[in-house]
Amino acid sequence: MATTLMLNASPAWAQSPAARPLQELAAQRGLLIGAAAAPRPLLDDQRYAAVLAREFSIVTPENALKWPWVQPDPGRFTWQDADAIVHFAVAHGQKVRAHTALWHLAVPAWIVDGRYDTVALQSIVQQHMRAVAQRYAGQLTYWDVVNEAVADDGRLRDTLWLRKLGRDYIAQAFTWAHQAAPNVKLVYNDYGAEEPNAKSDAIYALVRSLKARRVPIAAVGFQMHLGPRRLDPQKLYANFQRFARLGVELHVTEMDLPLGKLEGTPEQRLAEQARRIRAVIDVCLAVPAVKVIQFWGVDDNHSWLNREKQQSPLLFDTRYQPKPAYWAVAEALTRHHAAADDPEAGN
Ligand code: G3I
């Protein structure tokens, strides 16, 4: 079993930079706030572990529960990376989002090349889901069951799952996941659907139809990988509102915002990043159906976007120092809390 790092000591760098950690501020607004995590820095770098434990109340294994990590060969399950993250989260009282069961990426070669027929693949998927559910019984709160199944034009994405399992595979996947893990809230997760557009219209129609058929879907995840174009808060709000009316929770699952082509001095770019992230948080706080806000990583050094240097897309810099975006999130959560207590405050 992987070592679970417990954090008892509170060296100076482990003190909360805000008066109170983000997770406390978020809890007062009825929100979970979280990050994706990777096993290496978690086990090797106490600073990473300290920030994750202190600031966040929900953790997604960034890769460790993807198919190639869990079942790299048929029937051979490998859990050490996922165990490290899930055990850490549980030991620190954090919730866990499993990510992800059916995605067109991160499919192991044995499935891609396997020439399984529909019935055989159905059974493989169900077995895989049962294995994940059993391994982490009682430890998962959410599960991104289907990831990125809709294309930008609104059609179902042409994936191995669609081709081999058939057009109803999304409903089937939720049903199988529910059978395997009846107490876990199941999520459809996608990117580029934050504003009303062809893709979000299609996801909306998909979720509406799943709900109408009583398929056990509990939440829609909006990944929120923010690009150079500024997201329109009005459009985000309108989109969130229509999804909320379907009776699902709304989650921000993978937020990050690379500095990319933002203009100005380094300080100005960081300030613009903070403003844009703040705008998203403000919309989230205005929509009660939003229950979870997660960033796609803890610190800039371990972001998937850091493969290109200096994209600096997260709340903490490469030395685990809080950035302007961190303060913007803390302030948004605090201000809204004050406003909730006292209608005069926050005006
Ligand atoms: O762990 C291996 C390592 O052993 C090997 O030496 C190295 C060589 O390339 O690869 C390492 O694995 C990489 C892994 O990240 C860990 O760093 C994979 O090649 C790489 O493909 C993988 O990328 C991940 C990507 O999904 C594909 O699974 C990113 O970290 C992860 O941030 C990204 O996350 C996705 C979400 O799951 C879904 N939404 C979009 C998001 C960003 O693309």
Side-chain angles (χ1 to χ4, degrees), residues 106-148:
V107 182
W110 66 271
I111 289 192
V112 175
D113 304 333
R115 297 176 185 275
Y116 298 104
D117 65 18
T118 301
V119 172
L121 195 60
Q122 284 177 337
S123 149
I124 288 168
V125 170
Q126 290 177 76
Q127 250 175 353
H128 184 87
M129 288 177 167
R130 278 197 297 270
V132 171
Q134 277 165 17
R135 181 78 182 182
Y136 301 115
Q139 299 179 310
L140 305 178
T141 299
Y142 296 108
W143 193 356
D144 295 341
V145 170
V146 179
N147 199 44
E148 303 174 10

Short mmCIF file of all heavy atoms in Angstrom, two decimals, residues 106-148:
data_model
loop_
_atom_site.label_atom_id
_atom_site.label_comp_id
_atom_site.label_asym_id
_atom_site.label_seq_id
_atom_site.Cartn_x
_atom_site.Cartn_y
_atom_site.Cartn_z
N ALA A 106 -6.56 8.34 -23.47
CA ALA A 106 -6.12 7.47 -22.38
C ALA A 106 -6.87 6.13 -22.39
O ALA A 106 -7.34 5.66 -21.36
CB ALA A 106 -6.25 8.18 -21.02
N VAL A 107 -6.98 5.55 -23.56
CA VAL A 107 -7.53 4.19 -23.70
C VAL A 107 -6.34 3.27 -23.97
O VAL A 107 -5.56 3.53 -24.88
CB VAL A 107 -8.53 4.11 -24.87
CG1 VAL A 107 -9.12 2.70 -24.96
CG2 VAL A 107 -9.62 5.15 -24.74
N PRO A 108 -6.18 2.23 -23.18
CA PRO A 108 -4.98 1.39 -23.37
C PRO A 108 -5.00 0.63 -24.70
O PRO A 108 -6.07 0.34 -25.24
CB PRO A 108 -5.03 0.42 -22.18
CG PRO A 108 -6.42 0.45 -21.68
CD PRO A 108 -7.03 1.76 -22.07
N ALA A 109 -3.82 0.32 -25.17
CA ALA A 109 -3.68 -0.32 -26.48
C ALA A 109 -4.45 -1.64 -26.55
O ALA A 109 -5.01 -1.99 -27.60
CB ALA A 109 -2.20 -0.56 -26.78
N TRP A 110 -4.52 -2.33 -25.41
CA TRP A 110 -5.19 -3.64 -25.48
C TRP A 110 -6.68 -3.51 -25.80
O TRP A 110 -7.27 -4.44 -26.36
CB TRP A 110 -4.95 -4.47 -24.22
CG TRP A 110 -5.55 -3.96 -22.92
CD1 TRP A 110 -4.97 -3.11 -22.04
CD2 TRP A 110 -6.83 -4.29 -22.36
NE1 TRP A 110 -5.81 -2.88 -20.95
CE2 TRP A 110 -6.95 -3.61 -21.13
CE3 TRP A 110 -7.89 -5.11 -22.78
CZ2 TRP A 110 -8.08 -3.70 -20.32
CZ3 TRP A 110 -9.03 -5.21 -21.97
CH2 TRP A 110 -9.11 -4.51 -20.75
N ILE A 111 -7.24 -2.34 -25.48
CA ILE A 111 -8.65 -2.13 -25.84
C ILE A 111 -8.75 -1.63 -27.29
O ILE A 111 -9.56 -2.10 -28.08
CB ILE A 111 -9.33 -1.16 -24.87
CG1 ILE A 111 -9.49 -1.86 -23.53
CG2 ILE A 111 -10.68 -0.69 -25.41
CD1 ILE A 111 -10.38 -1.19 -22.55
N VAL A 112 -7.87 -0.67 -27.62
CA VAL A 112 -7.92 -0.11 -28.97
C VAL A 112 -7.71 -1.21 -30.01
O VAL A 112 -8.42 -1.28 -31.03
CB VAL A 112 -6.83 0.98 -29.13
CG1 VAL A 112 -6.80 1.50 -30.56
CG2 VAL A 112 -7.08 2.13 -28.15
N ASP A 113 -6.75 -2.07 -29.75
CA ASP A 113 -6.39 -3.09 -30.75
C ASP A 113 -7.09 -4.42 -30.52
O ASP A 113 -6.84 -5.39 -31.22
CB ASP A 113 -4.87 -3.35 -30.70
CG ASP A 113 -4.08 -2.07 -30.92
OD1 ASP A 113 -4.63 -1.16 -31.59
OD2 ASP A 113 -2.95 -1.96 -30.41
N GLY A 114 -7.97 -4.44 -29.52
CA GLY A 114 -8.46 -5.74 -29.01
C GLY A 114 -9.48 -6.46 -29.85
O GLY A 114 -9.74 -7.62 -29.61
N ARG A 115 -10.11 -5.79 -30.82
CA ARG A 115 -11.14 -6.43 -31.67
C ARG A 115 -12.26 -7.08 -30.85
O ARG A 115 -12.74 -8.18 -31.18
CB ARG A 115 -10.51 -7.49 -32.58
CG ARG A 115 -9.52 -6.91 -33.56
CD ARG A 115 -8.86 -7.99 -34.38
NE ARG A 115 -7.81 -7.41 -35.23
CZ ARG A 115 -8.03 -6.87 -36.42
NH1 ARG A 115 -9.24 -6.82 -36.92
NH2 ARG A 115 -7.02 -6.36 -37.11
N TYR A 116 -12.61 -6.46 -29.73
CA TYR A 116 -13.71 -7.00 -28.93
C TYR A 116 -15.03 -6.67 -29.61
O TYR A 116 -15.18 -5.57 -30.16
CB TYR A 116 -13.71 -6.39 -27.53
CG TYR A 116 -12.45 -6.71 -26.75
CD1 TYR A 116 -11.45 -5.75 -26.58
CD2 TYR A 116 -12.25 -7.97 -26.21
CE1 TYR A 116 -10.30 -6.03 -25.87
CE2 TYR A 116 -11.10 -8.27 -25.51
CZ TYR A 116 -10.12 -7.30 -25.35
OH TYR A 116 -8.98 -7.60 -24.67
N ASP A 117 -15.99 -7.57 -29.54
CA ASP A 117 -17.31 -7.20 -30.04
C ASP A 117 -18.07 -6.45 -28.94
O ASP A 117 -17.57 -6.29 -27.81
CB ASP A 117 -18.09 -8.42 -30.55
CG ASP A 117 -18.41 -9.42 -29.44
OD1 ASP A 117 -18.34 -9.04 -28.24
OD2 ASP A 117 -18.71 -10.59 -29.76
N THR A 118 -19.26 -6.00 -29.27
CA THR A 118 -20.02 -5.15 -28.34
C THR A 118 -20.21 -5.82 -26.98
O THR A 118 -19.95 -5.21 -25.93
CB THR A 118 -21.39 -4.79 -28.94
OG1 THR A 118 -21.15 -4.12 -30.18
CG2 THR A 118 -22.20 -3.91 -28.03
N VAL A 119 -20.64 -7.04 -27.00
CA VAL A 119 -20.94 -7.73 -25.73
C VAL A 119 -19.67 -7.89 -24.89
O VAL A 119 -19.68 -7.64 -23.68
CB VAL A 119 -21.61 -9.10 -26.01
CG1 VAL A 119 -21.76 -9.89 -24.72
CG2 VAL A 119 -22.97 -8.88 -26.67
N ALA A 120 -18.58 -8.23 -25.53
CA ALA A 120 -17.33 -8.41 -24.78
C ALA A 120 -16.87 -7.08 -24.19
O ALA A 120 -16.43 -7.01 -23.03
CB ALA A 120 -16.25 -8.99 -25.71
N LEU A 121 -16.98 -6.02 -24.99
CA LEU A 121 -16.53 -4.72 -24.48
C LEU A 121 -17.45 -4.21 -23.36
O LEU A 121 -16.99 -3.63 -22.38
CB LEU A 121 -16.45 -3.70 -25.62
CG LEU A 121 -15.67 -2.43 -25.28
CD1 LEU A 121 -14.22 -2.74 -24.89
CD2 LEU A 121 -15.68 -1.44 -26.45
N GLN A 122 -18.74 -4.47 -23.49
CA GLN A 122 -19.66 -4.10 -22.40
C GLN A 122 -19.23 -4.76 -21.10
O GLN A 122 -19.19 -4.13 -20.04
CB GLN A 122 -21.09 -4.57 -22.74
CG GLN A 122 -21.78 -3.71 -23.78
CD GLN A 122 -23.16 -4.25 -24.14
OE1 GLN A 122 -23.43 -5.45 -23.95
NE2 GLN A 122 -24.01 -3.39 -24.63
N SER A 123 -18.87 -6.00 -21.20
CA SER A 123 -18.49 -6.72 -19.99
C SER A 123 -17.15 -6.20 -19.44
O SER A 123 -16.98 -6.07 -18.22
CB SER A 123 -18.49 -8.21 -20.33
OG SER A 123 -17.55 -8.89 -19.57
N ILE A 124 -16.22 -5.86 -20.32
CA ILE A 124 -14.93 -5.30 -19.89
C ILE A 124 -15.15 -3.96 -19.16
O ILE A 124 -14.56 -3.70 -18.11
CB ILE A 124 -14.00 -5.12 -21.10
CG1 ILE A 124 -13.52 -6.49 -21.59
CG2 ILE A 124 -12.83 -4.21 -20.79
CD1 ILE A 124 -12.82 -6.47 -22.94
N VAL A 125 -16.01 -3.13 -19.72
CA VAL A 125 -16.27 -1.82 -19.09
C VAL A 125 -16.93 -2.00 -17.72
O VAL A 125 -16.54 -1.37 -16.73
CB VAL A 125 -17.15 -0.93 -20.01
CG1 VAL A 125 -17.61 0.32 -19.27
CG2 VAL A 125 -16.39 -0.55 -21.28
N GLN A 126 -17.88 -2.90 -17.66
CA GLN A 126 -18.56 -3.11 -16.37
C GLN A 126 -17.60 -3.66 -15.31
O GLN A 126 -17.64 -3.24 -14.16
CB GLN A 126 -19.74 -4.07 -16.56
CG GLN A 126 -20.88 -3.44 -17.34
CD GLN A 126 -22.01 -4.43 -17.58
OE1 GLN A 126 -22.78 -4.74 -16.69
NE2 GLN A 126 -22.10 -4.94 -18.78
N GLN A 127 -16.75 -4.56 -15.75
CA GLN A 127 -15.76 -5.12 -14.81
C GLN A 127 -14.81 -4.04 -14.31
O GLN A 127 -14.48 -3.98 -13.13
CB GLN A 127 -14.89 -6.15 -15.55
CG GLN A 127 -15.13 -7.55 -15.15
CD GLN A 127 -14.31 -8.49 -16.04
OE1 GLN A 127 -13.68 -8.08 -17.00
NE2 GLN A 127 -14.32 -9.75 -15.68
N HIS A 128 -14.39 -3.19 -15.23
CA HIS A 128 -13.48 -2.10 -14.88
C HIS A 128 -14.15 -1.17 -13.86
O HIS A 128 -13.55 -0.79 -12.85
CB HIS A 128 -13.10 -1.34 -16.15
CG HIS A 128 -12.09 -0.26 -15.94
ND1 HIS A 128 -10.73 -0.50 -15.98
CD2 HIS A 128 -12.22 1.05 -15.67
CE1 HIS A 128 -10.08 0.62 -15.76
NE2 HIS A 128 -10.96 1.58 -15.57
N MET A 129 -15.40 -0.84 -14.13
CA MET A 129 -16.12 0.04 -13.21
C MET A 129 -16.28 -0.62 -11.83
O MET A 129 -16.11 0.04 -10.80
CB MET A 129 -17.49 0.39 -13.78
CG MET A 129 -17.44 1.34 -14.96
SD MET A 129 -19.12 1.59 -15.58
CE MET A 129 -18.86 3.00 -16.66
N ARG A 130 -16.60 -1.89 -11.84
CA ARG A 130 -16.76 -2.59 -10.55
C ARG A 130 -15.45 -2.60 -9.77
O ARG A 130 -15.43 -2.43 -8.56
CB ARG A 130 -17.25 -4.02 -10.78
CG ARG A 130 -18.76 -4.11 -10.97
CD ARG A 130 -19.26 -5.54 -10.77
NE ARG A 130 -18.71 -6.46 -11.76
CZ ARG A 130 -19.28 -6.74 -12.93
NH1 ARG A 130 -20.44 -6.19 -13.25
NH2 ARG A 130 -18.71 -7.58 -13.78
N ALA A 131 -14.34 -2.77 -10.48
CA ALA A 131 -13.04 -2.81 -9.81
C ALA A 131 -12.74 -1.47 -9.13
O ALA A 131 -12.31 -1.42 -7.97
CB ALA A 131 -11.94 -3.17 -10.81
N VAL A 132 -12.98 -0.38 -9.86
CA VAL A 132 -12.73 0.96 -9.28
C VAL A 132 -13.65 1.17 -8.07
O VAL A 132 -13.22 1.62 -7.00
CB VAL A 132 -12.95 2.06 -10.35
CG1 VAL A 132 -12.92 3.45 -9.72
CG2 VAL A 132 -11.90 1.94 -11.45
N ALA A 133 -14.93 0.84 -8.28
CA ALA A 133 -15.91 1.08 -7.20
C ALA A 133 -15.58 0.26 -5.95
O ALA A 133 -15.70 0.75 -4.83
CB ALA A 133 -17.31 0.75 -7.71
N GLN A 134 -15.16 -0.99 -6.15
CA GLN A 134 -14.84 -1.83 -4.99
C GLN A 134 -13.58 -1.36 -4.28
O GLN A 134 -13.51 -1.32 -3.06
CB GLN A 134 -14.67 -3.29 -5.43
CG GLN A 134 -16.00 -4.01 -5.53
CD GLN A 134 -15.90 -5.32 -6.31
OE1 GLN A 134 -14.82 -5.87 -6.50
NE2 GLN A 134 -17.03 -5.81 -6.76
N ARG A 135 -12.58 -1.00 -5.07
CA ARG A 135 -11.31 -0.56 -4.48
C ARG A 135 -11.53 0.63 -3.55
O ARG A 135 -10.91 0.75 -2.51
CB ARG A 135 -10.35 -0.18 -5.61
CG ARG A 135 -8.97 0.26 -5.12
CD ARG A 135 -8.16 -0.94 -4.76
NE ARG A 135 -6.84 -0.62 -4.25
CZ ARG A 135 -5.94 -1.53 -3.91
NH1 ARG A 135 -6.22 -2.82 -4.00
NH2 ARG A 135 -4.78 -1.17 -3.46
N TYR A 136 -12.40 1.55 -4.00
CA TYR A 136 -12.57 2.80 -3.24
C TYR A 136 -13.98 2.91 -2.64
O TYR A 136 -14.52 4.02 -2.53
CB TYR A 136 -12.21 4.00 -4.13
CG TYR A 136 -10.77 3.89 -4.61
CD1 TYR A 136 -10.47 3.72 -5.96
CD2 TYR A 136 -9.73 3.89 -3.69
CE1 TYR A 136 -9.14 3.58 -6.37
CE2 TYR A 136 -8.40 3.72 -4.10
CZ TYR A 136 -8.13 3.57 -5.44
OH TYR A 136 -6.83 3.41 -5.84
N ALA A 137 -14.52 1.77 -2.27
CA ALA A 137 -15.89 1.77 -1.71
C ALA A 137 -15.94 2.73 -0.52
O ALA A 137 -15.09 2.69 0.37
CB ALA A 137 -16.26 0.36 -1.28
N GLY A 138 -16.91 3.60 -0.53
CA GLY A 138 -17.09 4.54 0.57
C GLY A 138 -16.15 5.73 0.54
O GLY A 138 -16.19 6.60 1.41
N GLN A 139 -15.28 5.78 -0.47
CA GLN A 139 -14.27 6.86 -0.48
C GLN A 139 -14.47 7.84 -1.63
O GLN A 139 -13.75 8.85 -1.69
CB GLN A 139 -12.88 6.23 -0.57
CG GLN A 139 -12.60 5.33 0.65
CD GLN A 139 -11.24 4.68 0.60
OE1 GLN A 139 -10.86 4.08 -0.40
NE2 GLN A 139 -10.49 4.80 1.67
N LEU A 140 -15.39 7.55 -2.52
CA LEU A 140 -15.61 8.46 -3.65
C LEU A 140 -16.90 9.23 -3.43
O LEU A 140 -17.91 8.67 -3.01
CB LEU A 140 -15.73 7.67 -4.96
CG LEU A 140 -14.58 6.72 -5.31
CD1 LEU A 140 -14.88 5.99 -6.62
CD2 LEU A 140 -13.25 7.48 -5.42
N THR A 141 -16.87 10.51 -3.75
CA THR A 141 -18.10 11.31 -3.71
C THR A 141 -18.66 11.48 -5.12
O THR A 141 -19.87 11.39 -5.33
CB THR A 141 -17.81 12.68 -3.09
OG1 THR A 141 -17.34 12.49 -1.75
CG2 THR A 141 -19.07 13.54 -3.03
N TYR A 142 -17.79 11.77 -6.07
CA TYR A 142 -18.21 11.99 -7.46
C TYR A 142 -17.38 11.10 -8.39
O TYR A 142 -16.25 10.71 -8.05
CB TYR A 142 -18.01 13.45 -7.86
CG TYR A 142 -18.84 14.43 -7.07
CD1 TYR A 142 -18.26 15.27 -6.12
CD2 TYR A 142 -20.21 14.52 -7.27
CE1 TYR A 142 -19.02 16.18 -5.39
CE2 TYR A 142 -20.99 15.42 -6.55
CZ TYR A 142 -20.39 16.25 -5.62
OH TYR A 142 -21.15 17.15 -4.90
N TRP A 143 -17.94 10.86 -9.56
CA TRP A 143 -17.23 10.04 -10.56
C TRP A 143 -17.55 10.61 -11.94
O TRP A 143 -18.72 10.64 -12.33
CB TRP A 143 -17.71 8.59 -10.45
CG TRP A 143 -16.88 7.57 -11.18
CD1 TRP A 143 -15.79 7.77 -11.98
CD2 TRP A 143 -17.09 6.15 -11.15
NE1 TRP A 143 -15.31 6.58 -12.44
CE2 TRP A 143 -16.09 5.56 -11.94
CE3 TRP A 143 -18.03 5.31 -10.53
CZ2 TRP A 143 -16.00 4.18 -12.15
CZ3 TRP A 143 -17.92 3.94 -10.73
CH2 TRP A 143 -16.93 3.39 -11.52
N ASP A 144 -16.53 11.08 -12.63
CA ASP A 144 -16.71 11.53 -14.02
C ASP A 144 -16.85 10.28 -14.88
O ASP A 144 -15.86 9.72 -15.36
CB ASP A 144 -15.50 12.34 -14.50
CG ASP A 144 -15.32 13.65 -13.75
OD1 ASP A 144 -16.28 14.12 -13.12
OD2 ASP A 144 -14.20 14.21 -13.81
N VAL A 145 -18.08 9.86 -15.08
CA VAL A 145 -18.31 8.58 -15.75
C VAL A 145 -18.03 8.68 -17.25
O VAL A 145 -17.41 7.82 -17.85
CB VAL A 145 -19.75 8.11 -15.49
CG1 VAL A 145 -20.11 6.91 -16.37
CG2 VAL A 145 -19.90 7.73 -14.04
N VAL A 146 -18.53 9.74 -17.85
CA VAL A 146 -18.30 9.94 -19.28
C VAL A 146 -17.67 11.31 -19.47
O VAL A 146 -18.14 12.31 -18.92
CB VAL A 146 -19.62 9.83 -20.08
CG1 VAL A 146 -19.36 10.07 -21.57
CG2 VAL A 146 -20.24 8.45 -19.88
N ASN A 147 -16.60 11.34 -20.24
CA ASN A 147 -15.79 12.54 -20.41
C ASN A 147 -15.70 12.91 -21.88
O ASN A 147 -15.30 12.08 -22.70
CB ASN A 147 -14.38 12.23 -19.87
CG ASN A 147 -13.59 13.47 -19.54
OD1 ASN A 147 -14.11 14.40 -18.94
ND2 ASN A 147 -12.33 13.49 -19.93
N GLU A 148 -16.12 14.14 -22.22
CA GLU A 148 -15.88 14.70 -23.56
C GLU A 148 -16.50 13.87 -24.67
O GLU A 148 -15.86 13.62 -25.69
CB GLU A 148 -14.37 14.89 -23.77
CG GLU A 148 -13.75 15.78 -22.71
CD GLU A 148 -12.23 15.87 -22.80
OE1 GLU A 148 -11.64 15.40 -23.78
OE2 GLU A 148 -11.62 16.42 -21.85
#
